Amino acid sequence: DAGVIQSPRHEVTEMGQEVTLRCKPISGHDYLFWYRQTMMRGLELLIYFNNNVPIDDSGMPEDRFSAKMPNASFSTLKIQPSEPRDSAVYFCASSWDSLTYEQYFGPGTRLTVT
Amino acid sequence: AQSVAQPEDQVNVAEGNPLTVKCTYSVSGNPYLFWYVQYPNRGLQFLLKYITGDNLVKGSYGFEAEFNKSQTSFHLKKPSALVSDSALYFCAVVSGNTPLVFGKGTRLSVIA
């Protein structure tokens, strides 16, 4: 398996633009997680899905952020409109059928909003 | 609410010396404890975990960790550090139905 795949790897956009980050989890994994990593705040869980259903989105910063998982092999994280404070590295991770299983992380998307 | 503390932002150790990266946790039920490592410009990578059983857990790259329930600790150790071990290390905990909670990370620097 190729592991968790994220695209794009780097994104530079201007404030106010819409940004869409994409993730393909490992085949067979039931859980999918979206994280944000910054120097100031460390690693934050934004939202996670179980069997394509959002379970907890309490970490989503505000209504500008939304996430979907239309099927077991694809998820998106959208920011609209983007702001400079959204600049961070966004990670997607997936795991097997329990929260006690280890998570496999993608390489991340480095987002810069100018 | 569950939480993890990594008291050291940075740990420096000479190559060949033993290393310890500290982690303490706070949960209301039984903890499931993890260590992850992050190399520059990469995603986190699983090292080892404690679920139940033997308190000493062995993981990838010669790392091990000891679960200590009385001290609520799960310190990461390696007998002999390598320069290639230099990275950012995260401790994390799961309890009940809540997902992983990560510590803030400890940067390990192994000096040749």
Side-chain angles (χ1 to χ4, degrees), chain A residues 9 33 35 37 39-43 45 48 56 91 99-108 110, chain B residues 32 34 36 38 41-46 49 51 88 90 94 96-100 102-104 107:
Chain A
R9 293 294 309 276
F33 306 82
Y35 293 90
Q37 186 178 35
M39 289 291 291
M40 290 296 294
R41 301 175 68 91
L43 194 64
L45 175 65
Y48 77 96
D56 185 351
F91 289 105
L99 290 173
T100 61
Y101 280 93
E102 55 269 30
Q103 295 180 20
Y104 293 80
F105 281 72
R110 182 174 296 277
Chain B
Y32 301 93
F34 297 77
Y36 286 80
Q38 185 179 27
N41 301 312
R42 302 284 294 275
L44 276 69
Q45 184 176 335
F46 169 76
K49 68 179 178 182
I51 302 297
L88 188 57
F90 291 92
V94 170
N97 291 322
T98 55
L100 270 180
F102 285 89
K104 291 187 177 298
R107 188 164 300 281

Side-chain angles (χ1 to χ4, degrees), chain A residues 61-108:
Chain A
E62 48 198 273
D63 292 345
R64 297 185 298 106
F65 286 69
S66 63
K68 295 181 179 180
M69 192 166 186
N71 57 62
S73 59
F74 184 65
S75 177
T76 59
L77 178 68
K78 186 176 294 186
I79 308 173
Q80 165 64 16
S82 59
E83 296 182 3
R85 59 194 168 120
D86 301 331
S87 296
V89 180
Y90 291 81
F91 289 105
C92 174
S94 67
S95 70
W96 295 106
D97 61 354
S98 166
L99 290 173
T100 61
Y101 280 93
E102 55 269 30
Q103 295 180 20
Y104 293 80
F105 281 72

Side-chain angles (χ1 to χ4, degrees), chain B:
Chain B
Q2 57 201 44
S3 65
V4 168
Q6 293 182 243
E8 301 156 318
D9 292 335
Q10 174 94 28
V11 170
N12 298 318
V13 63
E15 187 177 29
N17 282 2
L19 70 87
T20 299
V21 183
K22 296 179 180 177
C23 171
T24 59
Y25 65 90
S26 175
V27 299
S28 56
N30 290 324
Y32 301 93
L33 294 153
F34 297 77
W35 277 101
Y36 286 80
V37 60
Q38 185 179 27
Y39 298 101
N41 301 312
R42 302 284 294 275
L44 276 69
Q45 184 176 335
F46 169 76
L47 272 181
L48 52 81
K49 68 179 178 182
Y50 170 83
I51 302 297
T52 187
D54 194 345
N55 288 344
L56 184 64
V57 179
K58 295 186 183 297
S60 307
Y61 312 121
F63 284 94
E64 59 187 29
E66 186 165 12
F67 171 64
N68 188 317
K69 187 173 183 178
S70 62
Q71 296 186 6
T72 62
S73 67
F74 190 57
H75 301 331
L76 181 70
K77 300 183 179 184
K78 187 173 181 181
S80 178
L82 301 173
V83 172
S84 57
D85 294 330
S86 299
L88 188 57
Y89 290 81
F90 291 92
C91 182
V93 66
V94 170
S95 181
N97 291 322
T98 55
L100 270 180
V101 172
F102 285 89
K104 291 187 177 298
T106 298
R107 188 164 300 281
L108 173 67
S109 181
V110 181
I111 305 161

Side-chain angles (χ1 to χ4, degrees), chain A residues 1-6 24-27 104-107:
Chain A
D1 201 315
V4 176
I5 299 172
Q6 291 187 247
K24 177 179 169 54
I26 292 173
S27 177
Y104 293 80
F105 281 72

